[in-house]
Amino acid sequence: MNHVQIKLNPEYRERLPEIEYIATGIVFFDIAANEGLLPLHASAIAHKGEAILFSAPSKTGKSTHANLWKLFAEDVRIINDDKPGISFSDDVLTVHGTPWAGKNVENDNVSRPLKAIVFLKQDKVPHVVELDDETRMKELFRNSYRPRQEDLSNKVIDVMDAILKKTDIFEFDTDISQAAFRIIYQRIYGCERK
């Protein structure tokens, strides 16, 4: 893919920025997939030199939950607030910032090893749900970019396969509270956050 031309209909005046974001994102994600990068719909943070991804459908609270970590833990930065990329090379999964960072436009051009993927759901009582292999795969597919070209799809599936084999993936049914932060922190790191 050496040259891409995108034409936007001026009749969509108010929606042109949104349409441009989506259209250019699709082209970028095809290029990323060609390079072996899996774009995931998630808010990615860096903490303790590793990346944690909070993934869910829009309006679930990914950004809000990532900001809880900025509030209650030290040394937290946002890698990407909407579409980080994940690569697999030399037996290591790595999360990368991308320019497609959602409405908050929070992104950083950094890469960190992947620690965990947390699929968020809203609930009044925060609790972690351990997922079986089939559900982990469904959640990953549901929140990932899937190219239409077979050769690109195969590259993305290779990264997904590595994620499923090598990464902690679970569901967190949660509210937005300090107690929720402590529960998920303990699940990821095996210790309580003071």
Side-chain angles (χ1 to χ4, degrees):
M1 193 179 303
N2 293 332
H3 181 76
V4 175
Q5 184 176 15
I6 299 173
K7 293 183 180 184
L8 302 176
N9 188 335
E11 290 182 23
Y12 296 107
R13 284 178 185 80
E14 285 81 38
R15 294 195 57 217
L16 280 177
E18 175 188 0
I19 293 168
E20 178 186 32
Y21 179 84
I22 292 167
T24 57
I26 289 169
V27 172
F28 174 79
F29 297 141
D30 275 346
I31 294 167
N34 190 53
E35 297 298 318
L37 204 67
L38 169 69
L40 185 69
H41 187 216
S43 186
I45 63 168
H47 180 60
K48 294 187 173 188
E50 300 170 305
I52 302 167
L53 278 63
F54 302 103
S55 183
S58 296
K59 309 284 186 214
T60 303
K62 297 179 302 296
S63 301
T64 305
H65 200 79
N67 283 320
L68 275 181
W69 282 65
K70 287 173 68 176
L71 184 62
F72 296 122
E74 302 88 32
D75 187 36
V76 173
R77 67 198 277 190
I78 302 291
I79 296 173
N80 182 280
D81 200 36
D82 190 43
K83 297 279 190 325
I86 305 171
S87 66
F88 182 62
S89 179
D90 298 325
D91 208 37
V92 176
L93 287 156
T94 305
V95 176
H96 309 273
T98 73
W100 279 262
K103 66 179 182 206
N104 296 330
V105 194
E106 286 193 70
N107 60 319
D108 201 347
N109 189 20
V110 298
S111 300
R112 297 290 184 270
L114 177 59
K115 174 72 174 169
I117 298 175
V118 181
F119 291 107
L120 297 174
K121 290 191 178 173
Q122 295 177 350
D123 201 332
K124 293 179 181 174
V125 180
H127 61 281
V128 174
V129 177
E130 300 297 333
L131 301 176
D132 60 37
D133 290 344
E134 182 180 344
T135 306
R136 292 172 62 208
M137 185 172 64
K138 283 181 184 175
E139 288 295 327
L140 189 59
F141 267 89
R142 183 173 78 141
N143 291 287
S144 298
Y145 175 71
R146 294 171 307 281
R148 293 182 183 189
Q149 300 94 328
E150 186 176 342
D151 59 329
L152 296 183
S153 291
N154 290 337
K155 290 181 179 187
V156 165
I157 288 170
D158 288 345
V159 178
M160 285 185 180
D161 185 55
I163 291 169
L164 291 168
K165 289 177 179 172
K166 301 176 85 43
T167 304
D168 283 339
I169 302 173
F170 45 89
E171 179 184 305
F172 187 39
D173 299 357
T174 185
D175 63 359
I176 303 301
S177 65
Q178 186 172 8
F181 162 78
R182 287 184 174 154
I183 289 168
I184 199 64
Y185 190 96
Q186 182 170 12
R187 172 57 182 85
I188 292 171
Y189 288 104
C191 61
E192 286 193 32
R193 178 79 191 142
K194 303 288 185 208

